[in-house]
Amino acid sequence: EAVVSTQSTGALVATRNWPELEKFAKSRKSPIGYGPFVKECIAGNNKAEAIKYIERVSKEEQVEFFIDLDMPERAAEIAKSAKSIELLDSVLNAIGPNNRVLSETINSFKNVI
């Protein structure tokens, strides 16, 4: 069943059938989780659609996906809410040294945890 779900997800993204993808995701609990939905939406360059499914995955995956979507501020907020220095460090590594403001914000989050 998981293979069928993965194939269906990929097929719906390949045809850019976003309404059917959402319907499929809501029809029942996904046997493959919602990470594949997010990955396929990111691959299909549909940021808004990917965001719909991100809240259904673990905090660790959320941080990774928000980084992939070039939304490091949101990734940092999720890492902070998870009270995870490791996840905050992942965001720091992803943004590099050029984003001084966000780096300082993340370091202040780390000091509170």
Side-chain angles (χ1 to χ4, degrees), residues 1-3 5 24 28-34 37:
E1 187 174 353
V3 172
S5 294
F24 179 69
R28 58 196 164 120
K29 184 170 175 17
S30 174
I32 58 171
Y34 290 92
F37 286 82

Side-chain angles (χ1 to χ4, degrees), residues 7-21 40 43-44 46:
Q7 291 171 345
S8 298
T9 307
L12 291 170
V13 170
T15 60
R16 303 290 194 255
N17 194 340
W18 307 117
E20 282 300 314
L21 181 68
E40 290 290 342
N46 193 330

Side-chain angles (χ1 to χ4, degrees), residues 34-52:
Y34 290 92
F37 286 82
V38 179
K39 288 177 186 175
E40 290 290 342
C41 291
I42 291 171
N45 291 319
N46 193 330
K47 187 177 195 174
E49 196 70 23
I51 290 170
K52 288 181 184 179

Side-chain angles (χ1 to χ4, degrees), residues 32-110:
I32 58 171
Y34 290 92
F37 286 82
V38 179
K39 288 177 186 175
E40 290 290 342
C41 291
I42 291 171
N45 291 319
N46 193 330
K47 187 177 195 174
E49 196 70 23
I51 290 170
K52 288 181 184 179
Y53 306 107
I54 288 179
E55 68 183 36
R56 298 180 181 196
V57 300
S58 70
K59 297 283 187 194
E60 293 80 9
E61 288 177 302
Q62 288 180 33
V63 169
E64 175 187 327
F65 290 140
F66 279 118
I67 289 169
D68 291 346
L69 290 168
D70 196 29
M71 298 176 68
E73 294 85 0
R74 186 71 181 115
E77 288 292 334
I78 298 293
K80 177 186 174 192
S81 73
K83 298 182 178 178
S84 171
I85 290 177
E86 182 180 319
L87 290 176
L88 288 167
D89 285 339
S90 294
V91 179
L92 274 175
N93 290 335
I95 63 170
N98 296 331
N99 194 333
R100 176 175 277 166
V101 173
L102 185 55
S103 294
E104 289 173 2
T105 301
I106 291 170
N107 284 321
S108 72
F109 289 166
K110 288 170 62 175

